[in-house]
Amino acid sequence: MLCTHVPDWTLQAVIAGQDRATDILAIPTCQDCALTLSNEIVRETSLPVTFRRFSPGDTASQIS
């Protein structure tokens, strides 16, 4: 389940690489969808999910 509440995105659900310096996956989400998204990622991948703050400029650096 991806969060569609784009104006409310304040967090990123992050799966970190083994070295913890590289993100395998970072998905923007809002506070309301964070727990559901985290549970789905853990259920599907068995990998731990952490959260960090999200700012709109983050998507530009991820896309390039």
Side-chain angles (χ1 to χ4, degrees):
M1 177 212 120
L2 295 178
C3 175
T4 58
H5 307 118
V6 176
D8 298 328
W9 285 354
T10 57
L11 298 171
Q12 284 182 327
V14 177
I15 299 174
Q18 288 183 341
D19 61 2
R20 300 276 183 204
T22 306
D23 296 340
I24 295 172
L25 182 66
I27 303 172
T29 188
C30 71
Q31 292 276 359
D32 293 336
C33 295
L35 183 59
T36 302
L37 178 60
S38 175
N39 289 340
E40 287 185 10
I41 292 171
V42 170
R43 184 179 65 241
E44 294 295 324
T45 66
S46 299
L47 297 171
V49 177
T50 59
F51 288 94
R52 67 173 170 235
R53 287 200 164 291
F54 172 80
S55 66
D58 292 344
T59 56
S61 63
Q62 291 173 1
I63 293 171
S64 58

